[in-house]
Amino acid sequence: MTTAAEQPCYTLINIPSDAEPPTELQLKTDLEKGDVRTKTEALKKVIHMILNGEKMPSLLMTIIRFVMPLQDHTIKKLLLIFWEIVPKCGPDGKMLHEFILVCDAYRKDLQHPNEFIRGSTLRFLCKLKEPELLEPLMPSIRTCLEHRHSYVRRNAVLAIFTIYKNFDSLIPDGPELIHNFLEQEQDASCKRNAFMMLIHADQERALDYLSTCIDQLHTFGDILQLVIVELVYKVCHANPSERARFIRCIYNLLNSSSPAVRYEAAGTLVTLSSAPTAIKAAASCYIELIVKESDNNVKLIVLDRLIALKDNPQHERVLQDLVMDILRVLSTPDLEVRKKTLNLALDLVSSRNVEELVLVLKKEVIKTNDITEHEDTDKYRQLLVRTLHSCSIKFPDMAGTVIPVLMEFLSDQNELAAADVLVFVREAIQRFDQLKHVILEKLLEVFPSIKSVKIHRAALWILGEYCTTAEDIQALMHEIRHSLGDIPIVESEMKKAAGEIKDEDEFTPTQQKLLTAEGTYATQSALTATVKKSSEEKRPPLRGFLMDGDFFVGASLATTLTKLAIRYGELVHNTKKHNSFNAECMLIMATIIHLGKSGLATKPITDDDLDRIALCLKVLSDRTPAVNDIFSRECRHSLSTMLAALHEEEKENQKTVIEKKTVSVQPDDPISFMQLVNKTEHGTTEDLFELSLLQAVGTPQKKDAADPQASKLQKVNQLTGFSDPVYAEAYVHVNQYDIVLDVLIVNQTSDTLQSVTLELATLGDLKLVEKPSPIILAPHDFANIKANVKVASTENGIIFGNIVYDVSGAASDRNCVVLNDIHIDIMDYIVPAQCSDNEFRQMWAEFEWENKVTVNTSITDLGTYMGHLLKSTNMKSLTPEKALSGECGFMAANLYARSIFGEDVLANLSIEKMIHLGEDAPVQGHIRIRAKSQGMALSMGDKVNMCQKNPPK
């Protein structure tokens, strides 16, 4: 049953909401007696009113008589729109007699000397669905194929294509006619349209034509080459035996001058052949596209194609040989592109190419020093450091060449890269004993030039932990003395301050010789105050940090000195030397405490730092073996345990990836014969062009329909009651940035409902793309209306509206049925994501919107509650599984997710179970949600509250 809603809509016209609807009489007067401009405006108003559901049959003859004879091009164009949308049939379903006159006007326009009028008329004929109107025009359409202008010829081909597709009886020899036209045609756009028709109407003729000109493909225009790629894919997909015949054609198109053709050809080549040469050719083509294309979005899309190739275990080996080519993409300044490229290169690195990879990365690292500081330079440097770190851990032989280069970054102002270098150094020094001496030597060399307090602190810890010889300990002690300056610090600072005051009172007379206008010398005397530079500029690094009130570095220094003193006592058996070393360490700690209490520093010492330094002093004075053992051995043991846990977690992740890639075939698996396989059962037999088209228009794939979770019934919203005269329900299909509402409308009355209009409005960051057109519903009839909504951000949106209609024959006003609200679930846009602890903390500090949600649930188990929360909110736990295991009555975890619009959402879960309330006591606590936008934080909070009301069964 065909209803008005199922007829395709071609014309989308924006209607001003504040426009006053004109009367029919006024429009008739304007169309009859107005000038060209008045008639144009009146015709536009008529079109708007018809699109709004008005019929206006009385104006039809007026327009035929007074508007159609005009030769104005704007009016001609508006008339084509008018004839497209005006009802062409009477109440009895037969064609209106007035359209005989209209048909004659079409025929004259098809013979018009102006090519624009001819071409636009032919385009209009593509939209006509009435064979009675088309039949008298067929000879004129055929004649247009021989017109001198390409605009007319290409639209004539399109008109023949659509007419043949809809009513092949009107032009039975269409494919033959177009084949002959194609052989003689020279214009690229005409050839493209003609070839497109042959693909869909007569594939054999299209293949015959392609076989005759396969060697001239490079001379064709890009629009024709794209159609040829589509044809070859479809033919080889339907009939695999044809692959050998046409695969050379795809190889030729890899060298096309058009980037779009090369991209499509590479994608088609990968689907048609898994031979190493084909994969290498396609991958090389992708790399060239990334390097040469300026648009970053294009680069990211093509990079995703390369990553998809890498995920196939058969293709990974081929891509490993192209790692150096892939690294050419690093010349792109965009950080996201560089990040994806480095991750891809790291996944493909092997023992064969690791040396070259490290060499390129080292050059990139050195290059970042020469670049003038850009906001992304620091982050890029950090990415390079992390990549080199991963390479060195994978291939330990590389660590020796990488570390000296990276050590130079420690003196850099940029904390991000320097911190990552120290993380790398800490792991390298723990794992690779043979590199310990080189690392310590280099670290001691750069120690005085470190400018950041955080890096100073971390470097002190590493040096204190791994300086195990008397010479290294003495060398480090020398650097610490040099970095602190004269001690005691307070006395030294007081003396300097006193010295500065004296200097400022000193004035020195100076004489300056000047040359006068007459050429004689003149002497000018003046008292000049000698200004000394502030001592802050001359302060050594550690003293500068302490004077600025950062006593945490003092506590770190105290721990380092304690370790050094204990280890020095074990190495040097001279009691006098040992006591002297101990005394010096204790003096440094005491002077730091004195400085913290003196008031000279910008901020006083905190209680925590004071306790830590005091504890270290006590350890050195008491020298208890058990405490000595904690400082000298247990710290390193804790580090090795942590690194082992990280390594184990990494191995688990790699194991999961490898398991996914492994294609396991059992001996008793059934053999699939290509000819017998159902198209929905086998991934490789699915038509990618069809799949992408279905995805674009929001139609679910057939194979998903069998899955009850993916069933439409899960997402159906009832919009009206069963007792309403019009029943309506909507299926909400979310496809990334688009929401398609498929609304079923049922007439439950015995009357014919006219001008049934679905009126929708949105709340939130949603935008209605088009207004659904009015329809007519017969008694107890039904229809489907589709409405598209665009989404701009992750926020809970609401779609509301009503259905208005007229009852046939009734004199009353329009009837209205108010619809239930449709709530758009933000979970359709949110996906779990991964980030490091540092990135999480940084985002947590930056994001200004926080939503604190109190846990209110009947769930009694902490782990069950967290699992339910993760499943309901699509978030991922960043806290390791081991940290969450066990029963202690308390749980804290960090959660993270990301929307398809690039918005981050963070959550901190702090929950507990009151043991004293019994086993059945519910979980209590808070969830703090942070996001950059208020809408995201509030929407996620609402989702958490909803999931708490619906506990898992």
Side-chain angles (χ1 to χ4, degrees):
M1 179 180 61
T2 304
T3 61
E6 290 169 350
Q7 292 179 2
C9 171
Y10 297 100
T11 309
L12 298 177
I13 297 174
N14 179 43
I15 302 168
S17 55
D18 57 347
E20 279 289 322
T23 62
E24 200 166 330
L25 186 65
Q26 178 66 43
L27 287 172
K28 195 169 184 178
T29 308
D30 287 349
L31 291 169
E32 284 180 10
K33 299 175 181 175
D35 57 10
V36 171
R37 190 172 178 182
T38 310
K39 288 183 179 181
T40 304
E41 290 303 316
L43 194 53
K44 283 182 182 177
K45 288 173 184 173
V46 172
I47 291 169
H48 285 158
M49 292 177 77
I50 291 176
L51 285 171
N52 274 337
E54 302 293 337
K55 296 289 180 272
M56 297 190 164
S58 62
L59 290 179
L60 185 60
M61 205 60 209
T62 307
I63 289 171
I64 290 172
R65 285 178 59 201
F66 296 102
V67 182
M68 253 177 63
L70 297 175
Q71 293 301 311
D72 183 76
H73 285 196
T74 308
I75 285 185
K76 288 270 185 195
K77 189 68 179 170
L78 286 171
L79 277 172
L80 293 177
I81 298 171
F82 174 75
W83 298 129
E84 181 188 337
I85 61 171
V86 75
K88 299 173 186 64
C89 299
D92 56 354
K94 291 183 180 178
M95 181 74 64
L96 294 170
H97 296 300
E98 291 89 335
F99 274 86
I100 297 168
L101 298 169
V102 177
C103 189
D104 189 54
Y106 295 156
R107 191 176 52 75
K108 286 178 181 171
D109 281 347
L110 287 174
Q111 295 166 358
H112 199 282
N114 184 290
E115 60 269 8
F116 169 75
I117 290 174
R118 274 205 196 197
S120 52
T121 308
L122 286 163
R123 285 178 72 86
F124 158 69
L125 294 180
C126 295
K127 303 170 187 178
L128 275 187
K129 301 295 177 201
E130 290 78 23
E132 302 96 319
L133 290 174
L134 290 168
E135 191 172 3
L137 305 173
M138 292 316 299
S140 301
I141 295 172
R142 284 170 177 266
T143 312
C144 287
L145 282 176
E146 297 164 9
H147 193 271
R148 59 183 173 76
H149 205 284
S150 60
Y151 177 68
V152 177
R153 295 199 302 275
R154 71 166 174 261
N155 284 311
V157 174
L158 273 182
I160 290 170
F161 178 25
T162 48
I163 293 166
Y164 181 81
K165 192 166 62 174
N166 296 325
F167 317 104
D168 56 353
S169 58
L170 293 179
I171 183 163
D173 61 335
E176 186 183 349
L177 180 71
I178 295 299
H179 184 258
N180 295 335
F181 167 80
L182 185 60
E183 287 181 334
Q184 297 163 8
E185 184 56 51
Q186 297 301 316
D187 182 75
S189 58
C190 297
K191 287 170 84 170
R192 181 252 181 206
N193 288 358
F195 196 73
M196 180 68 91
M197 176 182 168
L198 289 183
I199 289 174
H200 295 282
D202 192 342
Q203 215 170 73
E204 279 304 314
R205 287 183 190 274
L207 290 174
D208 289 344
Y209 174 74
L210 182 58
S211 302
T212 58
C213 59
I214 204 161
D215 294 324
Q216 290 126 36
L217 286 182
H218 61 279
T219 61
F220 291 169
D222 55 348
I223 52 173
L224 182 55
Q225 287 178 340
L226 282 170
V227 180
I228 289 170
V229 171
E230 184 182 345
L231 170 69
V232 171
Y233 175 79
K234 286 189 171 182
V235 169
C236 297
H237 174 260
N239 188 3
S241 60
E242 295 280 352
R243 286 183 185 180
R245 182 179 166 194
F246 290 109
I247 205 152
R248 186 166 65 88
C249 165
I250 297 294
Y251 269 111
N252 292 343
L253 290 174
L254 287 177
N255 301 317
S256 169
S257 58
S258 164
V261 174
R262 294 206 302 275
Y263 174 75
E264 290 294 341
T268 304
L269 186 60
V270 169
T271 56
L272 295 183
S273 173
S274 57
T277 49
I279 301 303
K280 189 171 183 178
S284 301
C285 181
Y286 281 146
I287 294 165
E288 284 297 320
L289 282 172
I290 300 168
V291 173
K292 290 180 179 176
E293 273 300 310
S294 56
D295 190 334
N296 287 330
N297 292 321
V298 173
K299 289 177 187 283
L300 289 169
I301 290 166
V302 183
L303 262 174
D304 284 338
R305 283 296 187 102
L306 274 176
I307 292 165
L309 272 182
K310 180 262 304 178
D311 290 339
N312 187 325
Q314 297 173 333
H315 305 157
E316 192 172 7
R317 176 88 185 191
V318 179
L319 287 176
Q320 283 177 355
D321 298 333
L322 296 170
V323 167
M324 300 315 294
D325 290 330
I326 291 170
L327 288 176
R328 288 164 55 204
V329 181
L330 292 177
S331 58
T332 306
D334 185 69
L335 187 69
E336 192 64 31
V337 174
R338 285 171 160 177
K339 189 176 181 181
K340 276 196 173 185
T341 306
L342 286 173
N343 288 339
L344 177 61
L346 194 57
D347 289 340
L348 293 172
V349 71
S350 65
S351 54
R352 291 177 297 152
N353 54 26
V354 67
E355 286 186 23
E356 294 173 324
L357 175 71
V358 167
L359 199 65
V360 171
L361 294 180
K362 277 162 65 178
K363 282 181 183 174
E364 284 292 317
V365 165
I366 294 162
K367 211 185 287 179
T368 57
N369 286 332
D370 305 331
I371 298 172
T372 46
E373 284 300 314
H374 184 263
E375 58 177 330
D376 284 341
T377 307
D378 295 346
K379 291 178 181 176
Y380 178 47
R381 203 175 292 166
Q382 188 183 15
L383 281 175
L384 289 169
V385 169
R386 286 182 181 175
T387 311
L388 283 167
H389 177 181
S390 303
C391 278
S392 302
I393 299 306
K394 264 189 182 180
F395 304 96
D397 296 345
M398 292 294 108
T401 60
V402 170
I403 288 169
V405 178
L406 296 186
M407 285 285 198
E408 301 297 333
F409 281 121
L410 295 180
S411 57
D412 202 40
Q413 290 283 9
N414 173 27
E415 275 183 12
L416 296 173
D420 277 337
V421 170
L422 279 179
V423 168
F424 173 33
V425 166
R426 186 186 65 185
E427 189 168 352
I429 206 169
Q430 173 70 15
R431 286 193 176 182
F432 313 130
D433 283 335
Q434 70 277 16
L435 295 175
K436 191 182 290 184
H437 178 69
V438 178
I439 293 172
L440 287 175
E441 190 180 324
K442 191 72 181 170
L443 196 52
L444 283 167
E445 187 184 312
V446 297
F447 186 77
S449 57
I450 295 175
K451 298 181 181 71
S452 166
V453 63
K454 287 182 181 177
I455 308 307
H456 233 290
R457 216 165 51 219
L460 273 173
W461 188 93
I462 293 171
L463 288 166
E465 190 62 51
Y466 292 99
C467 284
T468 50
T469 65
E471 292 79 15
D472 287 343
I473 291 171
Q474 286 290 3
L476 176 57
M477 200 63 188
H478 173 74
E479 292 298 341
I480 290 171
R481 285 192 212 104
H482 187 263
S483 193
L484 274 174
D486 296 337
I487 52 173
I489 298 172
V490 175
E491 287 178 27
S492 170
E493 286 295 321
M494 295 286 278
K495 283 176 185 175
K496 278 187 183 177
E500 272 184 16
I501 293 162
K502 284 179 188 175
D503 289 344
E504 279 179 12
D505 294 334
E506 290 176 4
F507 292 94
T508 54
T510 59
Q511 287 190 342
Q512 190 176 8
K513 284 189 175 181
L514 297 172
L515 198 65
T516 64
E518 292 86 11
T520 57
Y521 287 102
T523 305
Q524 183 182 10
S525 299
L527 282 173
T528 310
T530 308
V531 182
K532 289 201 172 186
K533 285 189 178 178
S534 169
S535 62
E536 284 182 18
E537 292 179 16
K538 296 179 182 177
R539 276 184 191 141
L542 266 176
R543 176 176 289 217
F545 300 144
L546 293 170
M547 289 301 290
D548 289 339
D550 196 332
F551 284 96
F552 188 28
V553 75
S556 180
L557 176 61
T559 309
T560 301
L561 290 171
T562 308
K563 289 178 185 176
L564 292 177
I566 292 168
R567 208 169 288 131
Y568 193 74
E570 291 171 358
L571 293 169
V572 178
H573 301 294
N574 186 327
T575 312
K576 187 178 177 183
K577 280 185 179 179
H578 183 207
N579 288 341
S580 170
F581 192 91
N582 257 14
E584 187 177 2
C585 292
M586 292 170 83
L587 173 63
I588 291 171
M589 294 182 213
T591 191
I592 292 171
I593 293 175
H594 187 197
L595 175 65
K597 295 288 186 183
S598 68
L600 282 176
T602 313
K603 288 181 282 188
I605 191 168
T606 62
D607 291 341
D608 289 341
D609 295 335
L610 181 62
D611 289 348
R612 183 71 175 174
I613 298 171
L615 172 70
C616 292
L617 278 167
K618 188 164 177 58
V619 168
L620 287 183
S621 61
D622 291 356
R623 302 185 192 176
T624 315
V627 178
N628 288 359
D629 190 57
I630 289 170
F631 271 88
S632 58
R633 290 178 188 81
E634 289 300 319
C635 288
R636 196 177 301 186
H637 179 66
S638 298
L639 173 65
S640 60
T641 307
M642 186 193 80
L643 290 175
L646 287 172
H647 188 57
E648 196 64 36
E649 193 178 331
E650 200 174 304
K651 276 174 70 178
E652 281 295 319
N653 291 339
Q654 284 181 352
K655 191 177 175 184
T656 311
V657 171
I658 291 166
E659 281 175 2
K660 278 182 185 175
K661 284 185 181 180
T662 307
V663 182
S664 53
V665 180
Q666 300 300 329
D668 56 346
D669 278 355
I671 299 170
S672 294
F673 292 95
M674 186 70 75
Q675 290 80 357
L676 306 177
V677 171
N678 183 353
K679 287 196 175 181
T680 56
E681 288 176 12
H682 202 279
T684 56
T685 61
E686 290 181 352
D687 190 333
L688 295 181
F689 284 94
E690 290 296 327
L691 285 180
S692 58
L693 181 62
L694 289 175
Q695 197 175 4
V697 298
T699 310
Q701 299 168 26
K702 287 182 183 175
K703 65 177 181 182
D704 291 342
D707 180 9
Q709 294 301 317
S711 169
K712 279 190 175 186
L713 298 175
Q714 300 287 332
K715 293 189 177 181
V716 170
N717 296 58
Q718 187 176 338
L719 302 180
T720 63
F722 291 114
S723 58
D724 284 317
V726 176
Y727 172 76
E729 63 183 29
Y731 163 64
V732 182
H733 177 80
V734 179
N735 181 26
Q736 290 200 331
Y737 303 97
D738 299 313
I739 298 173
V740 179
L741 296 180
D742 191 350
V743 185
L744 170 70
I745 297 177
V746 182
N747 179 7
Q748 301 197 108
T749 68
S750 301
D751 300 314
T752 299
L753 304 184
Q754 293 183 331
S755 300
V756 180
T757 308
L758 177 67
E759 296 181 343
L760 296 173
T762 58
L763 192 67
D765 226 341
L766 303 174
K767 185 180 178 185
L768 196 65
V769 176
E770 59 187 282
K771 184 178 179 181
S773 54
I775 58 169
I776 297 172
L777 281 179
H780 304 290
D781 192 4
F782 65 90
N784 283 73
I785 296 178
K786 286 195 176 182
N788 290 318
V789 178
K790 284 280 181 191
V791 189
S793 70
T794 313
E795 198 175 315
N796 278 339
I798 300 172
I799 301 172
F800 55 93
N802 48 48
I803 294 173
V804 291
Y805 59 91
D806 293 328
V807 178
S808 182
S812 61
D813 290 336
R814 299 200 83 181
N815 299 283
C816 177
V817 178
V818 180
L819 306 177
N820 289 335
D821 297 346
I822 301 172
H823 292 264
I824 302 301
D825 191 357
I826 64 164
M827 288 304 106
D828 290 314
Y829 317 122
I830 289 178
V831 290
Q834 182 72 38
C835 72
S836 67
D837 290 344
N838 288 336
E839 289 167 341
F840 184 90
R841 287 193 204 98
Q842 192 177 346
M843 285 191 283
W844 188 267
E846 287 173 1
F847 290 173
E848 54 190 16
W849 292 102
E850 180 172 309
N851 188 5
K852 191 173 182 181
V853 180
T854 305
V855 173
N856 181 14
T857 181
S858 57
I859 299 172
T860 57
D861 181 69
L862 298 174
T864 307
Y865 178 81
M866 183 174 166
H868 175 55
L869 183 72
L870 293 177
K871 189 176 178 184
S872 303
T873 59
N874 282 0
M875 297 190 88
K876 182 175 181 178
S877 171
L878 300 179
T879 309
E881 194 66 37
K882 288 181 181 176
L884 299 172
S885 58
E887 293 291 333
C888 65
F890 176 79
M891 182 185 282
N894 289 334
L895 316 178
Y896 176 59
R898 193 176 174 88
S899 78
I900 60 170
F901 308 102
E903 298 168 301
D904 300 295
V905 58
L906 315 173
N908 175 255
L909 175 74
S910 296
I911 51 176
E912 62 179 336
K913 183 174 178 179
M914 299 294 187
I915 305 295
H916 63 277
L917 295 177
E919 283 294 318
D920 296 331
V923 172
Q924 297 180 6
H926 291 93
I927 301 162
R928 292 168 66 197
I929 300 162
R930 283 203 182 183
K932 193 172 271 186
S933 64
Q934 184 185 19
M936 183 73 155
L938 291 174
S939 300
M940 187 55 82
D942 293 344
K943 190 65 190 174
V944 170
N945 281 324
M946 279 175 64
C947 86
Q948 291 189 141
K949 291 174 187 173
N950 304 311
K953 294 177 183 177

